[in-house]
Amino acid sequence: MRLSRSYDRLRSAPWRWTLGAALTGALAAGGIGAGIDAGGGIGAGAAGGAGTCAAVVLTAAFCALVSEALRHRALARTLATGNARLRVLLDVDHLTGLMNRTAFHNALEDRGLLDHDMLVVLFFDLDRFKDVNDTLGHKAGDDLLRKVAERVRRTIRHPIALARLGGDEFAAVLPWRHEVSPEEHAESIVAAVGEPFDLGGTRVEVGASVGLAIGDPTRLDGTELLRRADLAMYAAKAASRGCYRVFDDAMDRREMRESSVRVELGRAMIENQFSLHYQPLVDARSGAFSSAEALLRSQSPALRDISPFALIATAEASGQIIALTDWTIETALAAAARLENAPIAVNISPVYFRHPDFVSRVVDQLLAARVRPELLKVEITEGVLIDNLESARHSIDRLREMGVRVFLDDFGTGYSSLSYLQHFELDGLKLDKSFLRSVGDRRKTNQIIRSMIDFGHSLDMRVVVEGVESDWQARLLQMLGCDLLQGYEIGMPMPLDDLIAWRAAHDSALWRNPHPALRGTGAAAA
C-alpha cells in the first residue's frame, strides 16, 4: 500500500514528463548506436550506445531535479510574501490604517519595551461620538473615525504603538522624551480632536477624554499601564469630558472599591438581600393617595454604606443592572397587586432601557404577575431619550399602547430640550426636587415651576413634584397647579406592609390641609 502511494506521487510529479521524454530519447539513441546484426545479436557499438543513454538519462534527471527545486523555491517565496501580507492585514485596523487591538496588545508584551527608561501610555475615546452615528449615520461615523486617526497620527510623532482598539477607543504607547512632557501629548490630542470636522459638508464637533499613565517598564508591564490609562480616561469623562487626567493611586483604590461592590452586589442578589421600599404620592388637589414609587434597599452588611445611586451606577457598569431591574419590576408588580388600584412606579436605568428585549421583558413580567399594565409606571431620564431618538420612541410607544404609563424623571436637571420632547408621547413629567430649595423665596423660581407645570399640561401630561418637605411647600405647589406631590412631608419610603397601613390611615383622614378652599383649584388631572 505504501509503495502504491509513493508510485502515485511519482506519477503526479510535474518533472516526470521531462524525465520520460529524456528516457525515450536516450533509448532511441542507444538502440541506433548499438546496431543489430543479422542474427539478432547486439553489435560492437553497444557499449557506446549504452554510455550515451546513461549520460542523457543522468543529465535529464539532474535538469528535472533542478527545475523542481527552483519551482519549490519560487513557491516558498510566494508563500512567505503572502504570509507577510496576511500578518499585516491581521495587525491593521482596516477602517483607520492604525494598529488593531490584537497588534497593540502584542506590542505591549514586546520585550523591547524594557529598553526604555519610562513609558507613556495614552488611552482615549470620543465624546458625543454616538450622537454623530445617530444623527448622521454610521457612514459619517466611520468617516469621523478616519479623520480622527489622521489627526492623531500627525499629532503623536514616533510612537512605539498607535492603535484603534475598537469603536471610538484609541491608545498609544510612547517613550518618555524630556523635550515633550506626557501631559503635552495628552493636551495635543484634546486640542486636535476638539477642532471641528467636516463630514460631507456637515460641521461636527466632538471631543476626546484622555487617560494618561506613566511608568517604568521594568516595574509595570504594558498591560498594567494600559489599565491605569483606562481608569484615568474614565476619570476624565467623569470630570468634564474634553480633557485629560493622569492616573493616581486614588483611582486604583476607587477601582478596588467598585470591584468589591460588584462582588457583594452579586452575592446580595443570590442571597435575596435586596428589598423595595415604597414612597407614596398624593393628589395635589384632594390629598388622596395616588400611587407609590419603588426604591431599592439592601440588607447586605457589606453594602450598607453604599448609596443607592452608587449601587445602581456599579450595577450599570457591570451589567448586573439587567437582572436587578428584572427583580425590581417583578417585586413591584407583586406590590401593585396587593395595593389593588394603586400604580407602582419603577425607575428604569438607561442600560436596561436600551436592552434589545426591554419591552418584551416588561411584557413577560406583566403576564407572569397577572397585573393590569395600567398599574405599572415606568420612570426614565432625559438622557434615555437623546441616546437614540427612534429606538426610544419605538419602545415608549409600545409600552403606552399596552397601557403602561411612562413618566420623564428629573425634568429640569438635564437637557430639558423641547426639541427632543416633541418626538415623544409621555404620560407625565417629574420635576426635580432641586427646584424646591428656593421655592417661595425667589419669585423667578415660582415662575419657572409654574411655567414647567403649564408646559406639561399643554402636552396632556401630569406633573409630579418630588422633594416636598413642608406643608407650606405642598400648599404652594397646589396653588401653582401641580398634579401629584411626593416627599418626606407626604410620606417616607417604607416597606409594603407599612405602606398598606399608611394608606388605610391616610385615606380615612385624607390629607390634613389647613386651607380646604384650596382643594380643586389646581389644574385638572390629565
Side-chain angles (χ1 to χ4, degrees):
M1 190 69 178
R2 183 175 301 170
L3 290 174
S4 176
R5 285 197 297 269
S6 300
Y7 177 69
D8 289 341
R9 284 198 295 270
L10 182 61
R11 289 184 60 201
S12 64
W15 48 268
R16 71 183 179 88
W17 304 106
T18 304
L19 186 56
L23 287 171
T24 302
L27 289 172
I32 293 170
I36 303 174
D37 59 19
I42 298 176
T52 302
C53 177
V56 171
V57 169
L58 291 174
T59 301
F62 176 76
C63 290
L65 291 173
V66 169
S67 175
E68 184 69 6
L70 291 175
R71 194 181 71 84
H72 277 289
R73 181 177 296 179
L75 180 60
R77 281 198 299 268
T78 302
L79 288 174
T81 302
N83 286 336
R85 290 177 179 174
L86 182 59
R87 281 194 296 271
V88 170
L89 291 174
L90 291 175
D91 289 345
V92 171
D93 172 58
H94 303 300
L95 181 63
T96 62
L98 302 179
M99 298 171 69
N100 60 21
R101 179 184 291 272
T102 300
F104 187 77
H105 281 286
N106 289 338
L108 292 178
E109 297 172 358
D110 194 323
R111 298 286 297 175
L113 294 180
L114 299 176
D115 296 337
H116 300 280
D117 294 333
M118 296 289 282
L119 290 176
V120 177
V121 177
L122 298 159
F123 190 109
F124 68 95
D125 73 358
L126 305 182
D127 305 325
R128 301 180 297 278
F129 174 70
K130 192 174 186 304
D131 296 344
V132 175
N133 267 340
D134 291 344
T135 56
L136 300 180
H138 290 283
K139 185 177 180 181
D142 290 345
D143 190 21
L144 174 61
L145 291 173
R146 281 190 289 266
K147 291 179 182 294
V148 168
E150 291 171 6
R151 288 191 187 179
V152 174
R153 191 185 282 111
R154 292 194 301 266
T155 300
I156 301 179
R157 302 294 180 87
H158 312 298
I160 297 172
L162 174 60
R164 172 179 171 244
L165 301 183
D168 62 336
E169 292 183 340
F170 297 80
V173 181
L174 302 91
W176 176 289
R177 292 191 179 93
H178 294 290
E179 61 270 20
V180 182
S181 71
E183 290 80 4
E184 286 176 313
H185 285 302
E187 288 171 353
S188 65
I189 293 175
V190 171
V193 178
E195 291 293 321
F197 291 86
D198 182 3
L199 302 181
T202 302
R203 177 188 170 99
V204 171
E205 294 186 13
V206 294
S209 295
V210 183
L212 172 61
I214 308 163
D216 179 353
T218 62
R219 296 179 55 250
L220 300 170
D221 61 24
T223 303
E224 172 61 18
L225 286 172
L226 181 64
R227 185 190 71 83
R228 294 184 172 197
D230 187 19
L231 290 177
M233 185 269 288
Y234 279 103
K237 279 193 172 298
S240 63
R241 302 195 174 196
C243 65
Y244 76 91
R245 288 292 181 270
V246 181
F247 174 84
D248 59 34
D249 291 338
M251 296 178 189
D252 226 358
R253 290 192 294 271
R254 184 164 55 249
E255 171 65 14
M256 290 178 65
R257 286 197 302 271
E258 290 177 357
S259 178
S260 175
V261 170
R262 285 193 293 270
V263 172
E264 293 300 332
L265 196 154
R267 181 179 292 116
M269 291 172 63
I270 293 172
E271 297 177 358
N272 274 333
Q273 292 182 333
F274 283 109
S275 64
L276 293 183
H277 282 198
Y278 303 87
Q279 187 170 30
L281 284 76
V282 298
D283 187 292
R285 295 182 302 161
S286 65
F289 173 73
S290 171
S291 59
E293 179 181 2
L295 301 169
L296 187 68
R297 296 291 184 266
S298 172
Q299 283 75 52
S300 168
L303 300 177
R304 187 173 298 149
D305 297 330
I306 308 296
S307 72
F309 299 104
L311 198 63
I312 294 301
T314 300
E316 287 179 330
S318 65
Q320 294 165 302
I321 192 67
I322 304 300
L324 190 58
T325 307
D326 282 341
W327 176 87
T328 300
I329 294 175
E330 177 186 355
T331 307
L333 290 176
R338 288 189 61 188
L339 288 170
E340 298 176 351
N341 295 323
I344 299 293
V346 175
N347 291 281
I348 298 297
S349 156
V351 175
Y352 192 85
F353 186 89
R354 289 193 292 265
H355 193 282
D357 298 328
F358 162 58
V359 176
S360 298
R361 298 175 90 94
V362 173
V363 172
D364 290 344
Q365 298 274 29
L366 287 167
L367 292 174
R370 298 184 178 182
V371 171
R372 300 197 318 274
E374 295 82 5
L375 296 183
L376 176 63
K377 288 168 59 177
V378 167
E379 295 187 0
I380 58 176
T381 58
E382 293 172 310
V384 167
L385 302 184
I386 70 160
D387 277 346
N388 190 323
L389 283 175
E390 197 59 40
S391 176
R393 179 168 56 191
H394 180 66
S395 296
I396 290 172
D397 288 347
R398 287 181 62 192
L399 288 175
R400 297 187 73 247
E401 285 170 3
M402 290 188 297
V404 175
R405 305 177 191 180
V406 182
F407 276 63
L408 186 59
D409 198 10
D410 298 334
F411 184 71
T413 60
Y415 301 93
S416 300
S417 173
L418 304 186
S419 63
Y420 282 114
L421 286 178
Q422 68 180 336
H423 296 286
F424 301 96
E425 294 290 337
L426 300 169
D427 293 288
L429 298 176
K430 197 168 187 180
L431 305 190
D432 188 71
K433 60 185 177 183
S434 60
F435 286 101
L436 292 184
R437 292 172 187 162
S438 55
V439 68
D441 298 332
R442 297 180 183 175
R443 183 169 173 269
K444 286 185 177 180
T445 301
N446 296 353
Q447 291 176 333
I448 290 172
I449 293 177
R450 180 185 288 276
S451 296
M452 289 194 290
I453 291 173
D454 292 342
F455 166 71
H457 290 161
S458 70
L459 297 179
D460 296 325
M461 292 189 287
R462 305 192 78 186
V463 179
V464 183
V465 176
E466 60 180 336
V468 179
E469 297 182 355
S470 66
D471 181 65
W472 70 266
Q473 285 180 338
R475 288 187 280 121
L476 178 59
L477 290 169
Q478 186 185 42
M479 288 188 292
L480 293 176
C482 181
D483 297 303
L484 298 168
L485 303 177
Q486 177 182 359
Y488 289 167
E489 170 66 17
I490 309 303
M492 301 280 286
M494 60 192 84
L496 179 60
D497 289 339
D498 292 350
L499 177 66
I500 293 172
W502 179 93
R503 179 187 185 184
H506 182 82
D507 284 352
S508 64
L510 282 179
W511 181 35
R512 290 186 179 180
N513 189 332
H515 300 283
L518 291 177
R519 294 181 183 172
T521 60

